[in-house]
Amino acid sequence: VKLTELSASFFVLGKEADSIVNDGSQEMCVLAALIEAGEGGLSMSDLQGLVGKDVCKIGMGNCLKNKWAKKEKDGKLVAVVKMEDVKDEVRELLQQLKEGGGDPKSLDDKDVTALKRRKLISLVTRKSYSIVRGPSYSSTRVKRAADLTKEMLDSGKWKETPFKEYNFKTLGESVGGGYLHPLLKVRAEFRKILMEMGFHEMPTNKWVESSFWNFDSLFQPQSHPARDAHDTFFIKEPAQTVLVPEEYYDKVKTMHEVGGSGSIGYRYDFKREGEFFCQSVASRSTISLGSGRLKYNLHINIFHHQMQS
């Protein structure tokens, strides 16, 4: 179907305007009362008693404005024209507008402005819709297909099937980038605080390490079950490492065999070569080995040089 919006504007008369159409305008009522009173005129209170307070307020002002009446020294109002010499223009304009069905074109813009200023008329816009049959009108509703299927191609039904229109310029729904877990936010906040205090992060990107740093430097005995093949992934190629600091190796070996600094050690022969021992290469089993390396580097780069100097 085709839908067309229709709009029509027209003026409607208010309650006061209907009263003017039936009885005449306020200024004509005031003038009639003043003419009937004669040359003596009427005081404000007498005029209000005859025509009413509201009619007197509006009609008196318009009579003075149109020079139909004048105010004497004693404050009384006296008519200066006869009834047959004037005409009720407001009443005529309202009757003309009413007979024209409120058509704005039935009056001049100047007259419409004057009536709207006195709040006698108001513009109303009425909207309506026209519905007519479109070129694809059908008495039965047919659901349009969204996809072209294999069955349609095989049977040839696609030739008669109505399809939905495709909008190739439309954008797909935006994909969000995800959100941080609350614990990750807390970790990031703690990291920021510690870094601002002067702490440094340990390097944790070393995935393959010797058993010396994996276990021995952390003073884990070589007979510990965690060093067996079922708990640790050992590397075949290269199977051994040569990057063991000799000075530190001797200290670690001594600590394992006889102890030191209050420890009695593990009381066994510390082995350097062989499967699962010091120089064997394994995947990193814990990030604690990073702290062992870091402490060793701090000792070499800081404390050692200070002691020498």
Side-chain angles (χ1 to χ4, degrees):
V1 295
K2 288 185 177 180
L3 181 67
T4 305
E5 182 178 343
L6 305 176
S7 179
S9 298
F10 54 92
F11 287 105
V12 294
L13 276 63
K15 185 177 180 180
E16 182 181 348
D18 289 333
S19 176
I20 293 176
V21 172
N22 296 327
D23 304 326
S25 63
Q26 293 92 334
E27 50 266 37
M28 293 300 292
C29 294
V30 171
L31 179 60
L34 294 177
I35 292 176
E36 186 176 353
E39 296 180 358
L42 293 172
S43 63
M44 184 66 67
S45 58
D46 293 337
L47 182 60
Q48 290 179 355
L50 291 174
V51 299
K53 186 175 180 180
D54 294 335
V55 174
C56 177
K57 180 179 179 181
I58 300 174
M60 181 191 68
N62 289 328
C63 282
L64 295 175
K65 180 181 178 182
N66 295 335
K67 297 182 180 180
W68 292 353
K70 65 178 181 178
K71 183 178 290 188
E72 299 290 351
K73 294 181 180 180
D74 56 0
K76 290 185 178 183
L77 294 173
V78 179
V80 296
V81 295
K82 295 179 181 181
M83 186 64 72
E84 58 269 15
D85 296 333
V86 297
K87 63 179 180 177
D88 196 347
E89 294 182 357
V90 175
R91 185 179 187 182
E92 292 178 358
L93 291 175
L94 292 175
Q95 287 177 338
Q96 182 180 347
L97 186 62
K98 188 175 182 179
E99 292 173 358
D103 187 3
K105 296 181 180 179
S106 60
L107 296 179
D108 295 336
D109 293 340
K110 182 179 179 181
D111 296 332
V112 170
T113 302
L115 294 177
K116 289 174 65 176
R117 188 182 298 115
R118 293 184 60 169
K119 299 181 181 180
L120 297 175
I121 60 174
S122 58
L123 183 65
V124 175
T125 301
R126 178 179 295 166
K127 292 185 178 180
S128 58
Y129 298 90
S130 172
I131 301 177
V132 297
R133 295 179 180 181
S136 302
Y137 175 80
S138 175
S139 58
T140 58
R141 185 173 183 178
V142 180
K143 185 177 181 180
R144 294 190 176 187
D147 300 311
L148 180 65
T149 63
K150 180 178 180 298
E151 290 76 11
M152 293 180 182
L153 294 175
D154 293 339
S155 62
K157 191 177 179 180
W158 62 273
K159 298 179 181 179
E160 303 174 356
T161 302
F163 288 91
K164 292 182 178 179
E165 295 183 0
Y166 285 90
N167 185 2
F168 295 100
K169 296 182 179 180
T170 186
L171 298 178
E173 185 177 357
S174 59
V175 180
Y179 302 93
L180 285 176
H181 191 277
L183 292 179
L184 293 179
K185 292 183 179 180
V186 174
R187 187 183 72 174
E189 187 66 24
F190 276 114
R191 176 183 177 275
K192 179 182 177 182
I193 295 173
L194 293 173
M195 296 287 284
E196 291 177 350
M197 292 173 64
F199 287 90
H200 296 275
E201 288 184 299
M202 291 189 302
T204 57
N205 58 347
K206 196 171 180 66
W207 306 107
V208 177
E209 191 55 272
S210 66
S211 292
F212 176 77
W213 293 111
N214 250 328
F215 306 110
D216 297 328
S217 65
L218 301 178
F219 305 107
Q220 188 179 90
Q222 292 182 336
S223 60
H224 197 283
R227 301 179 67 157
D228 293 339
H230 61 77
D231 261 355
T232 302
F233 296 102
F234 288 92
I235 309 301
K236 288 185 178 180
E237 198 61 44
Q240 301 288 318
T241 181
V242 295
L243 300 177
V244 178
E246 295 299 328
E247 180 185 357
Y248 191 53
Y249 167 80
D250 293 336
K251 293 181 180 181
V252 172
K253 178 182 179 183
T254 302
M255 185 63 69
H256 276 261
E257 292 181 341
V258 299
S261 300
S263 171
I264 63 173
Y266 294 114
R267 304 290 181 170
Y268 70 94
D269 293 332
F270 186 82
K271 297 181 180 180
R272 177 165 186 160
E273 298 180 356
E275 190 178 11
F276 309 150
F277 297 125
C278 178
Q279 288 189 241
S280 60
V281 180
S283 62
R284 187 182 72 188
S285 60
T286 173
I287 60 172
S288 299
L289 66 91
S291 62
R293 270 187 175 274
L294 186 61
K295 292 176 182 177
Y296 171 74
N297 292 332
L298 289 174
H299 168 74
I300 295 300
N301 296 330
I302 301 177
F303 300 106
H304 184 66
H305 293 306
Q306 287 181 352
M307 289 188 289
Q308 283 185 343
S309 61

